[in-house]
Amino acid sequence: MAMKMNTNGFQSPKYPSFSLPAVVTTSLRSPKLFMATSSSLRSRSNEVETKVKNSPRSPCHVQITHSMPPHKIEIFKAMESWVEDNILVHLKPVENCWQPQDFLPDTASSDEFHDQVKELRERAKEIPDDYFVVLVGNMITEEALPTYQTSFNTFDGIRDETGVSPTPWAKWIRAWTAEENRHGDLLNKYLYLSGRVDMRQVEKTIQYLIGSGTDVRIENSPYRGFIYTSFQERATFFAHGNTAKHAKRHGDVKLAKICGTIASDEKRHETAYTKIVEKLFEIDPDETIIALADMMKKKITMPSHLMYDGVDDNLFNHLSTIVHRLGVYTMSDYTDIIEYFVGRWKVESLRGLSPQGQKAQEYVCRLPEHMRRLEEKIQDQAKKRPLIPFSWIYGRNV
Ligand SMILES: [Fe+2]
Ligand SMILES: [Fe+2]
């Protein structure tokens, strides 16, 4: 997605986006224009270029690795008992968790199963195609979970070193993944039963996406990683919550319940990640505000932005347009999230920052106002976009 850079150094998205712009053209924003944090300067020698050959949506950002200074790892080690007491409590015991089967036709009796599938399909018939495109987008994003667990395990100082590591950080990563796994599973099974989408195309998209990975530029830094996941969980809470509202409006309360239940999990996860970042602001405000400004400059991109279905080279941007048009996740939601976190983490009242930290603080505090000025323009662009065919709904236009 092409982006413009204005004179303030802010970037304005050319199109409405589910995630806000994913891929920045190097001619407009050279990787060398990364915010000049001490971290990024330190890590120049660690820059490696990654090309994803499995998808036409190659990220091609220069990847900065291990930008967190090694001594900061101690901070995350020292936080372990706090994580045990304050973060693991946000996980639900498996026995108390919902499972996809709770919301799907009961397979125990074949008569009931057939009746329930019939009812499910009758309800789904009343829902328009563009809704299904968005629901598929949500499902595919959830189904790329292997990529997200991989990402977590690239974070210095918190990764699960063995796959069964007993540290609270590793326990969280595994149990969070296990909770998240139910989201894609439930939506996938629902969509399969609905008969409304071309499952083969959807499944191909998932395979392409997991093969491509994600290019969200966290630099192995848990500061950046937890900021990213705080935003991401809140964004998915909005997206699933809004698909629930739409389903209800179309008269499908059971589908609304499915989406709403997933949304409430996202909210619980958001609470945990937000608390971690709040703690980092308390322990190390300078590095945390610099990381926040850096992630804001890069923009919080949906982790599924490299999606491809074997047909549409611009699939993610097309999906973003529909998501925006339907009001499931908009530029205004994105700005609301920034504004919310600036308040939640008390960014304006941070004191005792280095000159670089102060600059980062100013940037972040000014950002919501700047983003608000772009909203109307982007809303207009979404309305003007022509109809787009999606292979997920057998090539029909939405
Ligand atoms: Fe999820
Ligand atoms: Fe989530």
Side-chain angles (χ1 to χ4, degrees), residues 70-226:
H71 68 268
K72 299 272 183 190
I73 286 177
E74 293 312 312
I75 289 179
F76 292 88
K77 296 280 170 226
M79 281 173 77
E80 285 185 357
S81 63
W82 179 85
V83 173
E84 185 87 48
D85 297 340
N86 294 277
I87 298 302
L88 297 189
V89 294
H90 292 287
L91 294 166
K92 267 194 176 177
V94 175
E95 293 303 326
N96 300 344
C97 278
W98 60 266
Q99 297 299 334
Q101 185 56 62
D102 303 338
F103 301 92
L104 294 165
D106 186 359
T107 52
S109 141
S110 63
D111 281 352
E112 275 178 38
F113 178 74
H114 286 297
D115 290 347
Q116 289 171 11
V117 171
K118 218 175 139 194
E119 283 168 27
L120 185 154
R121 291 169 81 111
E122 285 300 320
R123 289 192 304 271
K125 266 187 194 162
E126 303 302 316
I127 304 176
D129 270 344
D130 54 1
Y131 178 89
F132 274 96
V133 166
V134 172
L135 198 63
V136 167
N138 282 358
M139 181 267 260
I140 286 170
T141 305
E142 296 287 349
E143 287 284 62
L145 184 61
T147 299
Y148 317 143
Q149 190 175 23
T150 301
S151 291
F152 261 116
N153 286 325
T154 67
F155 296 177
D156 292 329
I158 69 144
R159 71 172 60 88
D160 183 352
E161 298 279 357
T162 61
V164 284
S165 165
T167 70
W169 291 117
K171 279 189 208 163
W172 169 267
I173 295 169
R174 291 194 300 270
W176 170 84
T177 305
E179 286 197 0
E180 285 283 343
N181 188 53
R182 299 167 305 143
H183 301 172
D185 193 3
L186 174 54
L187 291 174
N188 193 325
K189 284 173 177 156
Y190 168 81
L191 284 162
Y192 167 73
L193 291 172
S194 77
R196 288 292 305 274
V197 300
D198 184 339
M199 280 307 289
R200 194 166 196 285
Q201 278 305 118
V202 171
E203 286 157 349
K204 262 173 63 179
T205 313
I206 296 167
Q207 187 175 355
Y208 269 120
L209 180 59
I210 296 174
S212 294
T214 189
D215 180 23
V216 291
R217 297 183 288 165
I218 285 168
E219 307 179 7
N220 310 97
S221 156
Y223 290 89
R224 284 164 176 75
F226 288 125

Side-chain angles (χ1 to χ4, degrees), residues 356-373:
Q356 201 179 2
Q358 283 174 28
K359 233 174 127 181
Q361 181 187 31
E362 277 166 32
Y363 173 80
V364 171
C365 291
R366 283 197 341 255
L367 192 54
E369 193 196 326
H370 174 79
M371 303 287 287
R372 293 277 176 227
R373 290 202 292 268

Side-chain angles (χ1 to χ4, degrees), residues 37 114 181 235 268 284 329 373:
T37 65
H114 286 297
N181 188 53
R268 186 159 46 80
D284 189 0
Y329 184 69
R373 290 202 292 268

Side-chain angles (χ1 to χ4, degrees), residues 142 176 180 183-184 233 236 240 262 265-266 269:
E142 296 287 349
W176 170 84
E180 285 283 343
H183 301 172
E233 295 286 3
T236 49
H240 290 300
I262 295 172
D265 269 10
E266 310 295 15
H269 295 158

